[in-house]
Amino acid sequence: MTTQYIWNLYAEDVKYFILSKVQDDFVADDLLQDTFIKIHTKKDSLKDASKLKAWVFSVARYTVLDYFRKHKLAASDNDTEVVYPEDTSEHTEADCLHGILKSLPKKYKLPLYLSDIKGLKQQEVAAQLGLPLATVKSQIQRARKQIAQGFMDCCGFKINDQGYLVGEIKEREDCKVCF
C-alpha cells in the first residue's frame, strides 16, 4: 500500500475533517501535509489494512491536537471526536452522495460543506472564504443543483411536481457515480 494510494482514498475527506477543526484553509493545508508525512513514515506500522481509514483519521486527529497544543489553542475532546460510518456492503444514498460530492468543483464544494455540513451561516462562509456574500450564495445554490442532477444522472431520480427529488437507489453495479 503506497502513500499515493492512501492519498487518493482519503486526502479530500481528511482535509475537510481538519478544516472543520481549524477553520482556516491555509492551516488545514499545512496540517494535511503534516498528516500525510506522518502517514508516509508510519504506514508500515499498520498491521491490519482493514483499519486503514480509522488509522488515517487518528493520525489526522492527533496532528490537529498537536497543532492546538503548540499554538496554545483550546480544543475540547468532544470537538475532535471522529465517527466512522459502519462499513456495509449495502448500496445507499450516502454512497451516491459521496461520489457526487467528490465530483463537484472545489469552488462549489467548500462553501456547500461549510454551510450545509458544518452549519455556518452563509455570511460566515463568505467571511471565512473572503468572498462576497452573493458569490457564496450562488455557489451553494449551484452545488445543490449539481447534487440533484448527480442523483438524476446516477440513479435515474426525477423531480416530482412539488420540486422534490424522488426515486430509488439502483444496485451498486448499475450506479454511474459510485461504482
Short mmCIF file of all heavy atoms in Angstrom, two decimals, residues 114-168:
data_model
loop_
_atom_site.label_atom_id
_atom_site.label_comp_id
_atom_site.label_asym_id
_atom_site.label_seq_id
_atom_site.Cartn_x
_atom_site.Cartn_y
_atom_site.Cartn_z
N LEU A 114 -19.16 23.98 4.23
CA LEU A 114 -19.18 24.87 5.39
C LEU A 114 -20.60 25.26 5.78
O LEU A 114 -20.92 25.34 6.96
CB LEU A 114 -18.34 26.12 5.11
CG LEU A 114 -16.84 25.88 4.97
CD1 LEU A 114 -16.14 27.16 4.50
CD2 LEU A 114 -16.23 25.37 6.25
N SER A 115 -21.45 25.45 4.78
CA SER A 115 -22.82 25.87 5.05
C SER A 115 -23.72 24.71 5.47
O SER A 115 -24.34 24.74 6.53
CB SER A 115 -23.39 26.55 3.81
OG SER A 115 -24.76 26.81 3.97
N ASP A 116 -23.78 23.68 4.63
CA ASP A 116 -24.76 22.62 4.85
C ASP A 116 -24.28 21.52 5.80
O ASP A 116 -25.09 20.89 6.46
CB ASP A 116 -25.17 22.00 3.52
CG ASP A 116 -26.00 22.96 2.67
OD1 ASP A 116 -26.21 24.11 3.11
OD2 ASP A 116 -26.43 22.57 1.58
N ILE A 117 -22.99 21.28 5.86
CA ILE A 117 -22.48 20.23 6.74
C ILE A 117 -22.04 20.82 8.09
O ILE A 117 -22.42 20.33 9.14
CB ILE A 117 -21.29 19.48 6.09
CG1 ILE A 117 -21.65 18.95 4.71
CG2 ILE A 117 -20.78 18.37 7.01
CD1 ILE A 117 -22.75 17.94 4.66
N LYS A 118 -21.25 21.88 8.04
CA LYS A 118 -20.77 22.49 9.28
C LYS A 118 -21.80 23.40 9.93
O LYS A 118 -21.68 23.74 11.10
CB LYS A 118 -19.49 23.29 9.02
CG LYS A 118 -18.28 22.44 8.71
CD LYS A 118 -17.95 21.48 9.83
CE LYS A 118 -17.53 22.21 11.07
NZ LYS A 118 -17.42 21.36 12.24
N GLY A 119 -22.80 23.83 9.16
CA GLY A 119 -23.88 24.64 9.73
C GLY A 119 -23.56 26.11 9.88
O GLY A 119 -24.25 26.81 10.63
N LEU A 120 -22.52 26.60 9.19
CA LEU A 120 -22.22 28.03 9.28
C LEU A 120 -23.25 28.81 8.47
O LEU A 120 -23.76 28.33 7.46
CB LEU A 120 -20.82 28.31 8.71
CG LEU A 120 -19.63 27.70 9.44
CD1 LEU A 120 -18.34 28.04 8.70
CD2 LEU A 120 -19.55 28.16 10.86
N LYS A 121 -23.51 30.02 8.91
CA LYS A 121 -24.39 30.91 8.15
C LYS A 121 -23.63 31.31 6.88
O LYS A 121 -22.40 31.37 6.87
CB LYS A 121 -24.74 32.14 8.97
CG LYS A 121 -25.59 31.84 10.19
CD LYS A 121 -25.97 33.14 10.88
CE LYS A 121 -26.69 32.95 12.17
NZ LYS A 121 -27.79 32.12 12.22
N GLN A 122 -24.37 31.58 5.83
CA GLN A 122 -23.73 31.91 4.56
C GLN A 122 -22.86 33.15 4.68
O GLN A 122 -21.81 33.25 4.03
CB GLN A 122 -24.78 32.04 3.46
CG GLN A 122 -25.40 30.70 3.11
CD GLN A 122 -26.41 30.77 1.99
OE1 GLN A 122 -26.76 31.84 1.50
NE2 GLN A 122 -26.89 29.61 1.58
N GLN A 123 -23.23 34.10 5.52
CA GLN A 123 -22.41 35.29 5.76
C GLN A 123 -21.07 34.89 6.38
O GLN A 123 -20.03 35.42 6.01
CB GLN A 123 -23.15 36.27 6.68
CG GLN A 123 -22.39 37.55 6.95
CD GLN A 123 -22.27 38.41 5.70
OE1 GLN A 123 -23.22 38.58 4.96
NE2 GLN A 123 -21.09 38.95 5.46
N GLU A 124 -21.09 33.93 7.31
CA GLU A 124 -19.85 33.45 7.93
C GLU A 124 -18.97 32.72 6.91
O GLU A 124 -17.75 32.86 6.92
CB GLU A 124 -20.17 32.51 9.10
CG GLU A 124 -20.87 33.18 10.25
CD GLU A 124 -21.37 32.19 11.29
OE1 GLU A 124 -21.87 31.10 10.90
OE2 GLU A 124 -21.26 32.50 12.48
N VAL A 125 -19.61 31.95 6.04
CA VAL A 125 -18.87 31.25 4.98
C VAL A 125 -18.18 32.27 4.08
O VAL A 125 -17.00 32.13 3.74
CB VAL A 125 -19.80 30.33 4.15
CG1 VAL A 125 -19.06 29.73 2.97
CG2 VAL A 125 -20.39 29.23 5.03
N ALA A 126 -18.92 33.31 3.70
CA ALA A 126 -18.35 34.35 2.84
C ALA A 126 -17.15 35.01 3.51
O ALA A 126 -16.11 35.22 2.87
CB ALA A 126 -19.42 35.40 2.50
N ALA A 127 -17.29 35.32 4.80
CA ALA A 127 -16.18 35.95 5.53
C ALA A 127 -14.98 35.01 5.61
O ALA A 127 -13.83 35.43 5.40
CB ALA A 127 -16.63 36.36 6.93
N GLN A 128 -15.23 33.75 5.91
CA GLN A 128 -14.14 32.78 6.05
C GLN A 128 -13.40 32.57 4.73
O GLN A 128 -12.19 32.43 4.71
CB GLN A 128 -14.67 31.45 6.57
CG GLN A 128 -13.58 30.43 6.83
CD GLN A 128 -14.11 29.20 7.56
OE1 GLN A 128 -15.12 29.27 8.25
NE2 GLN A 128 -13.42 28.10 7.41
N LEU A 129 -14.14 32.56 3.63
CA LEU A 129 -13.53 32.32 2.33
C LEU A 129 -13.06 33.60 1.65
O LEU A 129 -12.43 33.55 0.59
CB LEU A 129 -14.51 31.57 1.41
CG LEU A 129 -14.93 30.18 1.89
CD1 LEU A 129 -15.95 29.58 0.94
CD2 LEU A 129 -13.72 29.26 2.03
N GLY A 130 -13.41 34.75 2.24
CA GLY A 130 -13.01 36.02 1.65
C GLY A 130 -13.71 36.31 0.33
O GLY A 130 -13.12 36.89 -0.57
N LEU A 131 -14.97 35.90 0.25
CA LEU A 131 -15.76 36.09 -0.98
C LEU A 131 -16.98 36.94 -0.67
O LEU A 131 -17.47 36.96 0.46
CB LEU A 131 -16.22 34.74 -1.52
CG LEU A 131 -15.15 33.77 -1.99
CD1 LEU A 131 -15.77 32.40 -2.28
CD2 LEU A 131 -14.46 34.31 -3.22
N PRO A 132 -17.51 37.62 -1.69
CA PRO A 132 -18.77 38.36 -1.47
C PRO A 132 -19.91 37.38 -1.14
O PRO A 132 -19.93 36.25 -1.64
CB PRO A 132 -19.03 39.04 -2.82
CG PRO A 132 -17.72 39.02 -3.54
CD PRO A 132 -16.97 37.84 -3.02
N LEU A 133 -20.85 37.84 -0.33
CA LEU A 133 -21.97 37.00 0.07
C LEU A 133 -22.75 36.50 -1.13
O LEU A 133 -23.14 35.33 -1.19
CB LEU A 133 -22.90 37.76 1.03
CG LEU A 133 -24.14 37.03 1.51
CD1 LEU A 133 -23.76 35.74 2.25
CD2 LEU A 133 -24.99 37.93 2.40
N ALA A 134 -22.96 37.35 -2.13
CA ALA A 134 -23.72 36.94 -3.31
C ALA A 134 -23.03 35.79 -4.04
O ALA A 134 -23.68 34.87 -4.53
CB ALA A 134 -23.90 38.12 -4.26
N THR A 135 -21.71 35.82 -4.08
CA THR A 135 -20.95 34.75 -4.73
C THR A 135 -21.13 33.43 -3.98
O THR A 135 -21.36 32.38 -4.59
CB THR A 135 -19.45 35.12 -4.79
OG1 THR A 135 -19.31 36.33 -5.54
CG2 THR A 135 -18.63 34.02 -5.44
N VAL A 136 -21.03 33.49 -2.66
CA VAL A 136 -21.19 32.28 -1.84
C VAL A 136 -22.59 31.71 -1.99
O VAL A 136 -22.76 30.50 -2.17
CB VAL A 136 -20.86 32.58 -0.36
CG1 VAL A 136 -21.28 31.45 0.55
CG2 VAL A 136 -19.37 32.86 -0.20
N LYS A 137 -23.61 32.57 -1.96
CA LYS A 137 -24.98 32.09 -2.13
C LYS A 137 -25.15 31.40 -3.48
O LYS A 137 -25.76 30.33 -3.58
CB LYS A 137 -25.97 33.25 -2.01
CG LYS A 137 -26.16 33.75 -0.59
CD LYS A 137 -27.19 34.85 -0.54
CE LYS A 137 -27.46 35.25 0.89
NZ LYS A 137 -28.58 36.18 1.01
N SER A 138 -24.59 32.00 -4.50
CA SER A 138 -24.69 31.43 -5.85
C SER A 138 -23.97 30.08 -5.92
O SER A 138 -24.48 29.12 -6.50
CB SER A 138 -24.08 32.41 -6.85
OG SER A 138 -24.01 31.85 -8.12
N GLN A 139 -22.78 29.99 -5.32
CA GLN A 139 -22.02 28.74 -5.36
C GLN A 139 -22.74 27.63 -4.61
O GLN A 139 -22.77 26.48 -5.07
CB GLN A 139 -20.62 28.96 -4.76
CG GLN A 139 -19.73 29.79 -5.65
CD GLN A 139 -18.40 30.14 -5.00
OE1 GLN A 139 -18.26 30.14 -3.78
NE2 GLN A 139 -17.41 30.45 -5.83
N ILE A 140 -23.35 27.95 -3.49
CA ILE A 140 -24.09 26.95 -2.71
C ILE A 140 -25.31 26.47 -3.50
O ILE A 140 -25.57 25.26 -3.59
CB ILE A 140 -24.48 27.50 -1.33
CG1 ILE A 140 -23.22 27.68 -0.47
CG2 ILE A 140 -25.48 26.56 -0.63
CD1 ILE A 140 -23.45 28.44 0.82
N GLN A 141 -26.04 27.40 -4.12
CA GLN A 141 -27.20 27.02 -4.93
C GLN A 141 -26.79 26.13 -6.10
O GLN A 141 -27.44 25.14 -6.41
CB GLN A 141 -27.95 28.25 -5.42
CG GLN A 141 -28.82 28.89 -4.37
CD GLN A 141 -29.82 27.91 -3.79
OE1 GLN A 141 -29.67 27.46 -2.67
NE2 GLN A 141 -30.85 27.57 -4.53
N ARG A 142 -25.71 26.49 -6.77
CA ARG A 142 -25.24 25.69 -7.90
C ARG A 142 -24.80 24.31 -7.45
O ARG A 142 -25.04 23.31 -8.14
CB ARG A 142 -24.11 26.42 -8.63
CG ARG A 142 -24.61 27.60 -9.41
CD ARG A 142 -23.51 28.30 -10.16
NE ARG A 142 -24.07 29.44 -10.87
CZ ARG A 142 -23.39 30.53 -11.15
NH1 ARG A 142 -22.12 30.64 -10.81
NH2 ARG A 142 -23.97 31.53 -11.79
N ALA A 143 -24.15 24.24 -6.29
CA ALA A 143 -23.73 22.95 -5.76
C ALA A 143 -24.94 22.07 -5.47
O ALA A 143 -24.94 20.88 -5.81
CB ALA A 143 -22.90 23.15 -4.48
N ARG A 144 -25.97 22.64 -4.88
CA ARG A 144 -27.19 21.87 -4.59
C ARG A 144 -27.85 21.37 -5.87
O ARG A 144 -28.31 20.23 -5.93
CB ARG A 144 -28.17 22.73 -3.78
CG ARG A 144 -27.70 22.99 -2.36
CD ARG A 144 -28.61 23.96 -1.65
NE ARG A 144 -28.15 24.24 -0.29
CZ ARG A 144 -28.52 25.29 0.41
NH1 ARG A 144 -29.38 26.17 -0.09
NH2 ARG A 144 -28.06 25.48 1.63
N LYS A 145 -27.86 22.21 -6.90
CA LYS A 145 -28.43 21.79 -8.18
C LYS A 145 -27.60 20.67 -8.80
O LYS A 145 -28.14 19.73 -9.39
CB LYS A 145 -28.53 22.98 -9.14
CG LYS A 145 -29.65 23.92 -8.78
CD LYS A 145 -29.74 25.09 -9.74
CE LYS A 145 -30.85 26.03 -9.30
NZ LYS A 145 -30.91 27.23 -10.12
N GLN A 146 -26.28 20.76 -8.67
CA GLN A 146 -25.42 19.72 -9.23
C GLN A 146 -25.59 18.40 -8.48
O GLN A 146 -25.50 17.33 -9.07
CB GLN A 146 -23.96 20.16 -9.23
CG GLN A 146 -23.66 21.21 -10.28
CD GLN A 146 -22.20 21.57 -10.36
OE1 GLN A 146 -21.33 20.91 -9.78
NE2 GLN A 146 -21.92 22.64 -11.08
N ILE A 147 -25.86 18.48 -7.18
CA ILE A 147 -26.11 17.27 -6.41
C ILE A 147 -27.41 16.61 -6.89
O ILE A 147 -27.46 15.40 -7.12
CB ILE A 147 -26.16 17.57 -4.89
CG1 ILE A 147 -24.75 17.91 -4.39
CG2 ILE A 147 -26.73 16.38 -4.12
CD1 ILE A 147 -24.71 18.45 -2.98
N ALA A 148 -28.45 17.42 -7.05
CA ALA A 148 -29.72 16.88 -7.56
C ALA A 148 -29.52 16.26 -8.94
O ALA A 148 -30.00 15.15 -9.21
CB ALA A 148 -30.78 17.98 -7.60
N GLN A 149 -28.80 16.96 -9.81
CA GLN A 149 -28.53 16.44 -11.15
C GLN A 149 -27.71 15.16 -11.07
O GLN A 149 -27.93 14.22 -11.83
CB GLN A 149 -27.80 17.49 -12.00
CG GLN A 149 -27.64 17.07 -13.44
CD GLN A 149 -28.97 16.89 -14.16
OE1 GLN A 149 -29.84 17.75 -14.10
NE2 GLN A 149 -29.13 15.76 -14.84
N GLY A 150 -26.81 15.10 -10.11
CA GLY A 150 -26.00 13.89 -9.91
C GLY A 150 -26.87 12.69 -9.58
O GLY A 150 -26.65 11.59 -10.11
N PHE A 151 -27.87 12.87 -8.72
CA PHE A 151 -28.78 11.77 -8.40
C PHE A 151 -29.62 11.39 -9.62
O PHE A 151 -29.92 10.22 -9.82
CB PHE A 151 -29.69 12.13 -7.22
CG PHE A 151 -29.07 11.83 -5.89
CD1 PHE A 151 -28.57 12.85 -5.09
CD2 PHE A 151 -28.96 10.53 -5.42
CE1 PHE A 151 -27.99 12.58 -3.86
CE2 PHE A 151 -28.37 10.24 -4.19
CZ PHE A 151 -27.89 11.28 -3.42
N MET A 152 -29.99 12.35 -10.43
CA MET A 152 -30.76 12.04 -11.63
C MET A 152 -29.90 11.28 -12.63
O MET A 152 -30.36 10.31 -13.22
CB MET A 152 -31.32 13.33 -12.25
CG MET A 152 -32.43 13.95 -11.41
SD MET A 152 -33.27 15.33 -12.21
CE MET A 152 -32.15 16.66 -11.93
N ASP A 153 -28.64 11.69 -12.79
CA ASP A 153 -27.73 11.01 -13.71
C ASP A 153 -27.33 9.64 -13.19
O ASP A 153 -27.24 8.68 -13.95
CB ASP A 153 -26.47 11.85 -13.94
CG ASP A 153 -26.75 13.15 -14.66
OD1 ASP A 153 -27.83 13.28 -15.27
OD2 ASP A 153 -25.88 14.04 -14.60
N CYS A 154 -27.08 9.55 -11.91
CA CYS A 154 -26.55 8.33 -11.29
C CYS A 154 -27.60 7.23 -11.21
O CYS A 154 -27.40 6.13 -11.68
CB CYS A 154 -26.03 8.67 -9.90
SG CYS A 154 -25.53 7.26 -8.91
N CYS A 155 -28.70 7.55 -10.59
CA CYS A 155 -29.68 6.51 -10.26
C CYS A 155 -31.04 6.75 -10.90
O CYS A 155 -32.01 6.10 -10.52
CB CYS A 155 -29.83 6.41 -8.75
SG CYS A 155 -28.39 5.66 -7.97
N GLY A 156 -31.12 7.69 -11.81
CA GLY A 156 -32.38 7.90 -12.52
C GLY A 156 -33.46 8.57 -11.69
O GLY A 156 -34.65 8.40 -11.97
N PHE A 157 -33.09 9.33 -10.65
CA PHE A 157 -34.08 10.05 -9.87
C PHE A 157 -34.77 11.07 -10.76
O PHE A 157 -34.25 11.48 -11.80
CB PHE A 157 -33.40 10.77 -8.69
CG PHE A 157 -33.16 9.90 -7.50
CD1 PHE A 157 -32.62 8.63 -7.61
CD2 PHE A 157 -33.43 10.36 -6.23
CE1 PHE A 157 -32.39 7.84 -6.50
CE2 PHE A 157 -33.20 9.58 -5.11
CZ PHE A 157 -32.68 8.32 -5.25
N LYS A 158 -35.93 11.51 -10.34
CA LYS A 158 -36.70 12.53 -11.04
C LYS A 158 -37.11 13.60 -10.03
O LYS A 158 -37.13 13.36 -8.83
CB LYS A 158 -37.98 11.93 -11.66
CG LYS A 158 -37.75 10.76 -12.58
CD LYS A 158 -37.43 11.22 -13.96
CE LYS A 158 -37.35 10.02 -14.90
NZ LYS A 158 -36.20 9.97 -15.69
N ILE A 159 -37.48 14.76 -10.56
CA ILE A 159 -38.02 15.82 -9.71
C ILE A 159 -39.53 15.78 -9.88
O ILE A 159 -40.04 15.87 -11.01
CB ILE A 159 -37.44 17.19 -10.07
CG1 ILE A 159 -35.93 17.15 -9.83
CG2 ILE A 159 -38.14 18.29 -9.30
CD1 ILE A 159 -35.22 18.43 -9.72
N ASN A 160 -40.26 15.61 -8.75
CA ASN A 160 -41.71 15.48 -8.84
C ASN A 160 -42.38 16.86 -8.99
O ASN A 160 -41.69 17.89 -9.04
CB ASN A 160 -42.27 14.69 -7.64
CG ASN A 160 -42.14 15.43 -6.32
OD1 ASN A 160 -41.83 16.62 -6.26
ND2 ASN A 160 -42.38 14.71 -5.24
N ASP A 161 -43.70 16.87 -9.03
CA ASP A 161 -44.45 18.10 -9.24
C ASP A 161 -44.24 19.13 -8.12
O ASP A 161 -44.39 20.33 -8.35
CB ASP A 161 -45.96 17.80 -9.35
CG ASP A 161 -46.27 16.97 -10.59
OD1 ASP A 161 -45.48 17.02 -11.56
OD2 ASP A 161 -47.30 16.27 -10.58
N GLN A 162 -43.90 18.66 -6.93
CA GLN A 162 -43.65 19.57 -5.81
C GLN A 162 -42.19 20.06 -5.78
O GLN A 162 -41.82 20.83 -4.90
CB GLN A 162 -43.98 18.89 -4.47
CG GLN A 162 -45.45 18.63 -4.24
CD GLN A 162 -45.93 17.38 -4.95
OE1 GLN A 162 -45.18 16.43 -5.17
NE2 GLN A 162 -47.20 17.37 -5.34
N GLY A 163 -41.39 19.60 -6.72
CA GLY A 163 -39.99 20.03 -6.78
C GLY A 163 -39.04 19.20 -5.95
O GLY A 163 -37.89 19.58 -5.75
N TYR A 164 -39.51 18.04 -5.45
CA TYR A 164 -38.67 17.16 -4.64
C TYR A 164 -38.02 16.09 -5.51
O TYR A 164 -38.62 15.59 -6.46
CB TYR A 164 -39.49 16.48 -3.54
CG TYR A 164 -39.99 17.44 -2.50
CD1 TYR A 164 -41.34 17.81 -2.46
CD2 TYR A 164 -39.14 17.99 -1.55
CE1 TYR A 164 -41.82 18.69 -1.51
CE2 TYR A 164 -39.59 18.88 -0.60
CZ TYR A 164 -40.93 19.23 -0.58
OH TYR A 164 -41.39 20.10 0.36
N LEU A 165 -36.83 15.73 -5.15
CA LEU A 165 -36.10 14.67 -5.83
C LEU A 165 -36.63 13.33 -5.33
O LEU A 165 -36.68 13.08 -4.13
CB LEU A 165 -34.61 14.81 -5.48
CG LEU A 165 -33.60 14.07 -6.30
CD1 LEU A 165 -33.65 14.50 -7.75
CD2 LEU A 165 -32.20 14.35 -5.76
N VAL A 166 -37.10 12.48 -6.24
CA VAL A 166 -37.67 11.18 -5.85
C VAL A 166 -37.08 10.07 -6.71
O VAL A 166 -36.69 10.30 -7.86
CB VAL A 166 -39.21 11.16 -5.96
CG1 VAL A 166 -39.85 12.11 -4.97
CG2 VAL A 166 -39.67 11.47 -7.37
N GLY A 167 -37.03 8.91 -6.15
CA GLY A 167 -36.53 7.75 -6.89
C GLY A 167 -35.97 6.71 -5.93
O GLY A 167 -36.03 6.87 -4.72
N GLU A 168 -35.46 5.65 -6.51
CA GLU A 168 -34.86 4.58 -5.72
C GLU A 168 -33.43 4.37 -6.16
O GLU A 168 -33.12 4.47 -7.35
CB GLU A 168 -35.66 3.29 -5.89
CG GLU A 168 -37.04 3.36 -5.27
CD GLU A 168 -37.74 2.02 -5.32
OE1 GLU A 168 -37.08 0.97 -5.32
OE2 GLU A 168 -38.98 2.04 -5.36
#
